[in-house]
Amino acid sequence: MDDLITDYYDNLNPGAFSDCECQTPRSQSCLDCFQSQFFYGNEISYACEEKRKLYVLRYFPVHCKENYHGAKNIPYDVVDKWFGYGYVKILSVGGGPGSDICGVLEYLEEEALSRQLDLSVDVVRLDIEDQWDEVFDDVMERFFPWVNYRTVHLNVSDGIDLISDENFDLVTISYLISELSKEACINLADEVGSVLVDGGVLIINDRPEGVVEKNIRSMFDRIELSYEESSMCDWAGYSYPNDVAEAVGPKFNMNSIMFVGVKL
């Protein structure tokens, strides 16, 4: 993770702001532009390369750790079956730069080492845009070159029919439900339920907000998954170099609600 942060920080181009044609209104710098997009009804977009770099620098480590802890909450008998088969297939819905996948893979890699067993992993990542592909590919090649993966571009709100003929042992959804309507959440739940194998796991990680939590619970109830929820609020365990921390203001502590359920 240190090399990832160092490389992305070294490649920041603050001077890009002066000639940028898509500045967030009233912003004064790339960092200000990045932060301001979340307020006053501004458009949230990662079409800008500098915004993508800043997202990685500010959020990738902590979001990865949230999903790592979520994976650790998968019932052990389910993980035993995966290692018994020697294979697991994972679907990341709205995967973006891949922090959800990296958290899960970090856990599975640790389990493989402790069990001294090999585990073959296939990953399918769904995302509406291709803007994150370069970051995701970079992350996977850095940390998990042994994993087979591919990306499918689609709008989740329009359905996930492009992968409807496939089945998955694990589905991850991180920081997506907070962007969807109640109706879209229920539709997504139906589709996830149709591609999740019996005994498969659904992990949803998102903001600890009342409406978001209610929609997530409705999703699990909709597809009759037995689930547990937990709050993530501790230090993520990652320390930034002082110059990076001062320049980009990273998120140090986890702050999410985690749901882990099993399809009966």
Side-chain angles (χ1 to χ4, degrees):
M1 192 68 74
D2 289 350
D3 288 344
L4 178 74
I5 296 303
T6 299
D7 289 348
Y8 278 68
Y9 180 67
D10 288 345
N11 282 297
L12 278 177
N13 179 19
F17 181 81
S18 60
D19 296 324
C20 182
E21 297 180 355
C22 54
Q23 300 172 2
T24 304
R26 297 182 296 279
S27 59
Q28 304 297 319
S29 66
C30 284
L31 180 59
D32 188 24
C33 177
F34 177 89
Q35 295 172 312
S36 298
Q37 69 177 336
F38 301 108
F39 303 100
Y40 312 115
N42 289 319
E43 179 186 6
I44 299 175
S45 171
Y46 290 101
C48 171
E49 181 181 0
E50 300 309 309
K51 281 186 179 180
R52 295 195 295 274
K53 295 174 190 173
L54 285 166
Y55 184 97
V56 172
L57 289 166
R58 287 168 62 91
Y59 300 129
F60 193 92
V62 67
H63 289 173
C64 179
K65 190 59 67 175
E66 287 171 356
N67 284 279
Y68 167 80
H69 284 293
K72 291 189 72 172
N73 288 333
I74 298 173
Y76 218 60
D77 61 330
V78 174
V79 180
D80 284 340
K81 289 181 181 178
W82 293 347
F83 278 93
Y85 297 143
Y87 173 77
V88 62
K89 189 168 185 178
I90 303 172
L91 174 66
S92 169
V93 182
S99 55
D100 57 336
I101 287 298
C102 284
V104 170
L105 293 177
E106 181 182 346
Y107 166 72
L108 291 177
E109 195 169 53
E110 287 183 359
E111 283 295 311
L113 289 172
S114 67
R115 296 165 184 258
Q116 296 186 328
L117 292 173
D118 291 329
L119 184 68
S120 177
V121 179
D122 281 337
V123 170
V124 177
R125 167 180 161 268
L126 306 183
D127 203 88
I128 189 173
E129 301 287 357
D130 62 3
Q131 299 156 344
W132 286 114
D133 291 359
E134 184 177 358
V135 176
F136 180 72
D137 291 345
D138 179 34
V139 166
M140 292 297 290
E141 290 167 9
R142 283 175 185 263
F143 302 127
F144 307 104
W146 51 273
V147 173
N148 298 311
Y149 71 90
R150 65 185 178 90
T151 292
V152 177
H153 295 125
L154 54 77
N155 188 335
V156 171
S157 296
D158 293 336
I160 57 176
D161 294 339
L162 287 179
I163 51 90
S164 61
D165 60 337
E166 300 184 60
N167 293 313
F168 297 88
D169 304 293
L170 171 62
V171 176
T172 66
I173 306 175
S174 188
Y175 290 100
L176 174 66
I177 302 307
S178 52
E179 300 179 13
L180 302 178
S181 66
K182 179 180 179 180
E183 181 182 6
C185 289
I186 294 301
N187 291 338
L188 178 58
D190 288 338
E191 294 183 325
V192 168
S194 69
V195 300
L196 195 62
V197 302
D198 292 340
V201 176
L202 172 61
I203 297 178
I204 300 181
N205 181 57
D206 216 306
R207 301 187 184 99
E209 300 172 358
V211 173
V212 176
E213 295 173 23
K214 183 178 180 180
N215 284 342
I216 295 173
R217 293 186 189 105
S218 297
M219 293 176 67
F220 279 92
D221 292 340
R222 176 79 172 190
I223 49 182
E224 300 181 342
L225 266 66
S226 172
Y227 68 93
E228 295 185 358
E229 57 183 273
S230 56
S231 296
M232 302 287 169
C233 56
D234 298 326
W235 178 49
Y238 184 75
S239 297
Y240 283 72
N242 289 336
D243 57 338
V244 179
E246 292 174 2
V248 304
K251 184 179 177 183
F252 289 101
N253 294 330
M254 296 180 287
N255 182 29
S256 70
I257 188 76
M258 177 66 66
F259 293 77
V260 179
V262 179
K263 185 177 180 180
L264 302 177

